[in-house]
C-alpha cells in the first residue's frame, strides 16, 4: 500500500512513508519507512527529527518504561531505527525526506499527492528530498547512542549530556588544556578581554 493518503498512515506525530523513488541506482525504492513528522500540522517524515526523537524514546525506555509503560514504544524505536539504517544503506546519507516533488508541488499543499514536495513542516516551509547534513549527523548520534535493539546505551553519544570527562579548564594547573588557545579571552591565563569577532562580521553599528 502507498501511504500517501491511506488510513492508519498518521498517528499523532508518527507517520509511515513509502519511498517511491529510491537512490540513483534504484536501491530503497518501494521501502516502507517509519518516523516522525515535524509538527502535528505537517506531512511526511522528517528524518532529523526522527533520529533525535528515537534517542529520546530510548532514554525513556531505559529510565521509565518499566514503571510507566508506553504501549508500542519498543516497536516504534525498532521500526524508526531500522528505517534510518535502510536509508543509510540506500543513499549513503540520510535525506531530510523521501517524499519527491519540488517547491512548486509543495506550494499546491496536496498531501495526498505521490510527490507532494518533500516533508511539509506545517509551519511555513518544507524539507525537500536531498541528502541532509543534520539528519545524517543525528542518525550517527543515534547509532552511537544505541545501534540496535537490546544493545547497551552509550550516554556520551547524547550531545546534551554532560561529557564523561570534564571540559579542560585554564583555572586548574594540572589540567590538560592543550586543545585550548593560549591567549586572548577573559578566561585564559594571559587575560586580555574579548576575542575578535568572526571574519566578515564586526557586530553592531550601522
Amino acid at each position: 500500500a502507498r501511504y500517501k493518503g491511506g488510513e492508519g498512515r498518521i498517528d499523532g506525530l508518527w507517520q509511515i512513508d513509502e519511498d517511491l523513488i529510491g537512490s540513483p541506482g534504484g536501491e530503497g525504492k518501494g521501502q516502507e519507512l517509519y518516523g516522525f513528522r515535524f509538527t502535528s500540522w505537517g506531512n511526511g517524515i522528517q528524518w532529523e527529527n526522527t533520529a533525535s526523537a528515537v534517542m529520546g524514546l530510548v532514554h525513556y525506555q531505559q529510565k521509565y518504561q518499566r514503571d510507566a509503560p508506553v504501549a508500542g514504544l519498543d516497536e516504534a524505536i525498532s521500526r524508526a531505527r531500522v528505517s534510518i539504517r535502510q536509508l543509510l544503506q540506500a543513499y549513503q546519507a540520510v535525506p531530510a525526506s523521501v517524499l519527491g516533488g519540488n517547491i512548486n508541488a509543495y506550494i499546491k499543499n496536496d498531501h495526498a499527492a505521490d510527490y507532494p514536495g518533500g516533508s511539509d513542516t506545517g509551519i511555513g516551509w518544507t524539507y525537500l528530498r536531498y541528502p541532509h547534513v543534520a539528519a545524517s549527523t543525528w542518525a550517527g548520534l543515534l547509532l552511537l547512542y544505541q545501534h540496535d535493539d537490546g544493545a547497551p546505551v552509550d550516554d556520551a553519544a547524547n550531545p546534551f549530556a554532560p561529557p564523561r570527562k570534564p571540559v579542560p579548564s585554564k583555572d586548574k594547573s594540572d589540567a590538560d588544556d592543550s586543545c585550548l588557545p593560549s591567549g586572548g579571552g577573559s578566561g585564559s591565563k594571559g587575560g586580555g578581554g574579548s576575542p575578535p569577532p568572526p571574519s566578515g562580521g564586526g557586530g553592531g553599528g550601522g
Side-chain angles (χ1 to χ4, degrees):
R2 294 188 178 184
Y3 292 91
K4 61 182 187 296
E7 188 175 347
R9 168 178 166 267
I10 292 175
D11 183 11
L13 292 175
W14 182 252
Q15 180 157 334
I16 306 170
D17 282 346
E18 183 183 354
D19 187 349
L20 299 177
I21 300 173
S23 71
E27 191 169 0
K29 184 176 181 179
Q31 282 185 337
E32 185 176 282
L33 301 165
Y34 300 82
F36 294 93
R37 297 185 287 161
F38 199 84
T39 70
S40 59
W41 288 356
N43 174 70
I45 298 169
Q46 205 280 342
W47 291 101
E48 175 188 351
N49 280 20
T50 295
S52 55
V54 173
M55 290 183 73
L57 294 181
V58 171
H59 177 77
Y60 185 95
Q61 181 190 55
Q62 299 293 313
K63 300 289 185 181
Y64 308 111
Q65 178 73 346
R66 180 179 297 177
D67 298 325
V70 174
L73 179 67
D74 295 354
E75 182 181 15
I77 291 170
S78 182
R79 284 186 162 184
R81 182 164 46 210
V82 166
S83 295
I84 288 169
R85 292 169 69 170
Q86 289 173 325
L87 291 172
L88 285 167
Q89 181 171 343
Y91 294 96
Q92 308 303 305
V94 179
S97 172
V98 297
L99 302 182
N102 59 19
I103 195 66
N104 293 323
Y106 162 69
I107 291 169
K108 291 179 180 178
N109 197 34
D110 182 3
H111 290 173
D114 280 346
Y115 306 110
S119 292
D120 181 1
T121 63
I123 51 175
W125 75 92
T126 189
Y127 284 91
L128 296 175
R129 202 191 123 85
Y130 292 107
H132 194 251
V133 171
S136 300
T137 300
W138 275 102
L141 290 169
L142 165 62
L143 297 176
L144 287 169
Y145 189 60
Q146 189 191 47
H147 68 272
D148 207 351
D149 297 341
V153 171
D154 183 358
D155 286 322
N158 179 355
F160 299 108
R164 285 200 184 103
K165 295 181 179 180
V167 176
S169 170
K170 292 278 189 180
D171 297 329
K172 296 182 179 179
S173 59
D174 60 343
D176 179 5
D177 57 9
S178 57
C179 63
L180 300 177
S182 60
S186 59
S188 68
K189 293 176 182 176
S194 300
S199 176

